[in-house]
Amino acid sequence: VKWSLENYHHSLGSPYSLRLASADQAGNVIIWNVHDGSVIARFFKPGTSAVGHLEWFPSQQASRDLLAVLHLPSTIILWNANTGTSLWQKAFQEPLKYFAFDPFSLSSVLVLTQDHLVHITDFSTTHPPGQVNPLTAFGIQPNDNIFTLEEPPSDNVSTSEASTKSRRFLMKVSNVSSKVKNSNKSDNAKRASIPDSATKQDEPSLSDCIQIRFSSACRHHVFIVYARSIIIFDLEMKMIIGQINLERNLSPFMQIYSCHQRNALFCLHENGSISTRIRRVSSWISSNSQDSKFHFLDSVSLSPRSSSDFGVGSDALDNVNGNPDESVNSWASPEDIIYDIYHQTDSIRITKSCRVIGFGCSPITESDIILLLSDGRLLKWRLMTIPTSSTKSNLFDASILNSDIFSDGKSMDSLTLPKRNGIANEVTDIKDTLWYSLSDLIAPHFPIRYYAADKGDKVNQYVVDMKMIMTALYCGGATKPTCLRMCPPLTTKNLSFYKPLIAVGNSSGYIQTFDLSNGLLTREFSALTVPIKGIEWIGETRLLLYGHSNASLNSNTYRNEVVILDLRNGYINKIRDHSNESSPLESVKVSYLRQYFIVTFKDRPLEIWDLQNGNLIRDMPKNFPFPTSLVWHSSSNKKKLQHSDTSPSVDSESSITNENSASGQQSSSMEHFVYISSEGVLYHFMINGNTIKDGSKIPGGGGVSTVNDMVWKNDLIIMGDTDGSLIVWDLKARLSRVVQSHRGSIRRLRISPGKGNLKVALLFNDGIDVWDALHRECLNSLKINKGGLQIIDIDWVASDKTIALYEDGCMRILDTTLNTATSPIPLNDGLPYTSFNAYLITPKISFLVKQLLQHQPWNKTYGFSSPIDAIKEKDNGLAETVMQQLSLLPDGMTNFLENAPFGTAQRCLITAKLFGDQSETEFWTVALHYLRIAHLNRNKDTNTKSADLSSNNLDISLDTCFDLLRNRKIFRKDQLERVFLHDSKRISYAQTSRCECNLILLGQVDHAIKLLLETNPTDENYYADSLRACLTATICTSGAAQSTVKLVATNLIANGRLYEGVQLLCLIGKNVDACRYLQTYGEWDKAAWLAKATLSYGDCYDMYRQWIDNLLNSTQEDHAILVALSLCDFSKVMELLY
């Protein structure tokens, strides 16, 4: 199942909705409106089997209804989920296992096959993959403890040829002996290797891959998950850049979640534990200068570090923005990509009936995790931080600490809010609330600048301990259910306190009660030491439970238990607890007036008990016929059954009196019950107090086999037998009729409630029928396909609705047609609300609350009293509803909103998170960051094109997930670190070529020349690379041939060698022209990357403005707005918004 995304603008016309896509093993895909409990669309592809995977299309600008579905074995179809229309389908030649969308590029999709990966670079809503760009296939194979990449087929071959060559080509282990770097470079220290403890049997292959997932925090990074390791793969470079290996004593991986707000991983293990891993921030810094003015430190660490631990120079960061070649040789080797484990929850006791299914993380907060177990339990975990000894431990304030946010130079340490009613209000720490997100707990993934008064001062970094706390536990239906029973129906007597409760028993002796009005579990008790076989309601709050089991293994004796459970306090009254009986208990039937109950056995006569005092009234003699089914009449003081002409008395005794009964018993009403024996004889008895009277005996007719169950209502007795016959006895007309159901043995009968309602539900081994007993006709039928979930028990929840208990523990309320089993979410008063949820209330209320939380331009002072008073004047009921919803907000939220340090933008950000609005959350995160920057620079040059407002004294930048929207200096530093990391990991000629290209684009010419000169003399590219090295060195030292180089670059681009021409343009300093050529040929992301990393702010501004126009033409308005925000061009943002 997959919840739909919320990446679109919400309004009354497009309100907050709960849409869910589900798929089954038969290949059916169903789109649900969860709020209404209705099906929006249902579709499938003929000729395919099960659905292997499905994902909603990330962009919802053009349409919110696009769903990509993997129909096994090898077909991907893009569906319109609202209409069930197929937009296109792509059939692959090999079986597929999984696919994943790239969160940074809508056209990039990675597909996992049995033994290799397929990279789609032209995914579109208008045409199937492979029509614009050929598919790229590559594999990962172990080779001497190093995972070697196979080269993809060339672009000039057809798609079919590429697929055939790829499959044949990927099964080999590549020989890279001629393409590795020279031996004088310490390859062993630079290559990623598997620990020595791993053996070749432990080396994973793609056939063992359990999940692939793009990193939501870093562009091009892919996590390839195996049971004992996670490979970090750079998709652009086709290179393994890191690896996470589990220790042998840790439980294997099962699933991972890559966080968007911070570069962190949540890993689910097979034992149910969840580990939190955060990427270690590199201390890749200059090693020459001894000045310690500022330092690059990890944002989160397990132990404090002082400034003496780092020898850093004051010009380190400036060199990144200046001429990198001046200090490139002084930069130390970048560290490996390492995800440190900060916390791991305790494991869960795994049994046969309880195993881990999966987990999910809130996409808004990314600090709340839900773990699903096979027994129906949901465990909610929350990530928290525990500050330890450090100079500053508040990571939320780390983002704005010591920053000149305000004109008077105040920092967050001394920030106070304006006085309200004469009382000063201090800033509330967001980490102390229950509505914080991951970004509020962990500082962004980049070094934080620290200032010291002199070289002797020690500056400690932020030190935190991470932990997860279980904040909620939901117990669903228990596993291995055995029976269910609906509470007594609604009447005029119980109208004031009636609750639609249903009781469910299981094989472990547990009893659960659910409130069907909201689906919540209300009570759970361990009632029996044996499996519960049946349940009888003996009041609004009391249950009679019974069951049996073998006394011991290989024993012919049984333990039979009958107890009465009080749901109010859990008190259990053991009525019958016999541990060594020769016959197992079959059923317990409670009389209509709840005065008596009868216990029947398999191989012995029945017992009659007094329910009021728990005494045994009569244990029938051994010669008494054994009943196969028994039923009480539904009213008291009923007339005797009329004797048939051929019906003799049961025995010589007309009455049976219990001599041992206590004297002085209270008066009781007479009640009737009938039972049928294995010979088909129907016996009728009357009981009043301790007196049991024989009524009549009616022999069975021909053609009727053993009766399994029977019901009695009005003058009709309905029975079902093992041959599927439905027998209807009309006592008033003294007639009986037999109707064949043609569906096999009838296991159970349930008569519908309500006066004059004679519909009866029949339970078969393969489904359910609903019959009209009076007219003896089948009204509706439900048949389960072979191999489907079996129905354990049924009952009526209303006069027109039945409920079925399935073997997986689910209860499904079926309508009269037995075709649908959905229930809409009740209106506002139907659910016991404990927290605010915009998806469960009407759109009018939700948007009114949203408006009050975001901005109140009509109020001089932000608050909630005056708006509520204004609403009361027009609609008192509406005002009460709004007040009720405001009272459900998390603790401290209203106070924080009234005193928000950063005003309206911060209120809008918190409101977007509260409403689960993904697009608005991203918008206000970027907007708040750049509004603060603009506020800081308000006294400076306000011309956004000439003034680089993003490069200021503010100590924080957006995190890596915002990629091309970040601060230019930090972005360039990250790209330099990335390219040098690639240099340390390269092992093939193709990887070396890509690395050399990026070095040239980033201006690292000297290092690029070194890579060109490393080509092995036996390699076919040796001569060309040598010439390129000479050309590169010559261009850098002499500018006389720039016109010729530019001409050659233009010709190369015109003849399809785009990146070769771009490299030449960058060598001669024509980076602006290079960006424009990239834009002309549709490489907009690469052009933005090159502009952000190499151009001046003014040129980068122009390139980004052109990028905005392209995004608008590509129906990516939201991303265009974010780009405009990154330029601090707020007038353009307003234009795009309106």
Side-chain angles (χ1 to χ4, degrees), residues 94-98 110-119 136-143 147-150 166-167 169-173 201-213 222-227 229-233 235 238 240:
E94 54 274 311
L96 306 182
K97 296 170 59 178
Y98 197 84
L110 195 60
V111 182
L112 174 65
T113 69
Q114 295 293 338
D115 53 15
H116 63 277
L117 296 165
V118 178
H119 186 203
T136 305
F138 56 92
I140 304 176
Q141 298 291 338
N143 181 20
F147 292 93
T148 306
L149 301 180
E150 301 286 354
S166 175
R167 290 197 308 275
F169 176 74
L170 290 170
M171 296 307 296
K172 303 181 296 180
V173 177
Q201 288 77 10
D202 297 330
E203 295 174 355
S205 62
L206 281 177
S207 60
D208 303 320
C209 178
I210 58 178
Q211 184 187 4
I212 57 171
R213 186 180 183 96
V222 178
F223 298 104
I224 304 176
V225 185
Y226 300 94
S229 64
I230 300 175
I231 292 176
I232 307 168
F233 184 77
L235 188 59
K238 301 296 188 296
I240 293 174

Side-chain angles (χ1 to χ4, degrees), residues 288-301:
N288 289 343
S289 177
Q290 300 300 319
D291 183 49
S292 59
K293 182 180 178 182
F294 62 86
H295 310 275
F296 290 126
L297 300 176
D298 297 353
S299 61
V300 178
S301 178

Side-chain angles (χ1 to χ4, degrees), residues 69 218 225 420 439 447 605 628 673 697 731 806 868 916 1094:
V69 181
C218 293
V225 185
R420 299 175 60 84
S439 59
T628 61
F673 72 89
K697 181 179 74 173
L731 302 180
Y806 285 73
I868 296 299
T1094 63

Side-chain angles (χ1 to χ4, degrees), residues 208-369:
D208 303 320
C209 178
I210 58 178
Q211 184 187 4
I212 57 171
R213 186 180 183 96
F214 277 94
S215 171
S216 299
C218 293
R219 184 185 286 265
H220 304 306
H221 287 192
V222 178
F223 298 104
I224 304 176
V225 185
Y226 300 94
R228 305 293 309 177
S229 64
I230 300 175
I231 292 176
I232 307 168
F233 184 77
D234 192 299
L235 188 59
E236 183 188 39
M237 299 295 295
K238 301 296 188 296
M239 175 189 297
I240 293 174
I241 55 177
Q243 186 167 343
I244 302 172
N245 294 301
L246 279 180
E247 297 179 4
R248 292 189 179 276
N249 61 339
L250 295 181
S251 178
F253 292 116
M254 186 175 180
Q255 186 183 347
I256 69 166
Y257 177 85
S258 174
C259 298
H260 171 74
Q261 299 177 22
R262 295 293 182 258
N263 199 343
L265 290 177
F266 293 125
C267 305
L268 175 64
H269 299 261
E270 290 183 357
N271 63 357
S273 62
I274 302 174
S275 59
T276 304
R277 294 176 179 268
I278 303 174
R279 181 177 172 182
R280 183 184 300 173
V281 180
S282 174
S283 56
W284 181 61
I285 52 179
S286 176
S287 59
N288 289 343
S289 177
Q290 300 300 319
D291 183 49
S292 59
K293 182 180 178 182
F294 62 86
H295 310 275
F296 290 126
L297 300 176
D298 297 353
S299 61
V300 178
S301 178
L302 293 176
S303 59
R305 299 182 185 181
S306 62
S307 59
S308 60
D309 295 333
F310 300 91
V312 292
S314 60
D315 300 329
L317 184 61
D318 297 333
N319 286 337
V320 175
N321 194 44
N323 185 4
D325 287 336
E326 296 176 1
S327 61
V328 65
N329 294 328
S330 66
W331 287 84
S333 298
E335 297 177 358
D336 290 340
I337 293 182
I338 300 174
Y339 283 83
D340 293 316
I341 182 169
Y342 280 84
H343 184 264
Q344 186 162 353
T345 62
D346 295 333
S347 61
I348 296 173
R349 186 171 178 266
I350 304 298
T351 63
K352 291 183 179 180
S353 60
C354 177
R355 57 186 178 85
V356 180
I357 299 297
F359 80 142
C361 182
S362 168
I364 301 299
T365 65
E366 290 191 336
S367 60
D368 294 306
I369 297 175

Side-chain angles (χ1 to χ4, degrees), residues 1062-1083:
V1062 168
Q1063 288 182 55
L1064 291 178
L1065 292 174
C1066 290
L1067 283 174
I1068 60 176
K1070 302 294 183 181
N1071 296 59
V1072 175
D1073 293 337
C1075 291
R1076 288 174 178 165
Y1077 277 115
L1078 287 171
Q1079 291 177 342
T1080 303
Y1081 284 86
E1083 299 289 340

Side-chain angles (χ1 to χ4, degrees), residues 877-897:
L878 179 62
E880 291 181 356
T881 305
V882 172
M883 289 178 62
Q884 177 193 10
Q885 296 301 321
L886 291 176
S887 66
L888 296 175
L889 295 177
D891 294 338
M893 175 171 284
T894 54
N895 181 55
F896 188 90
L897 292 175

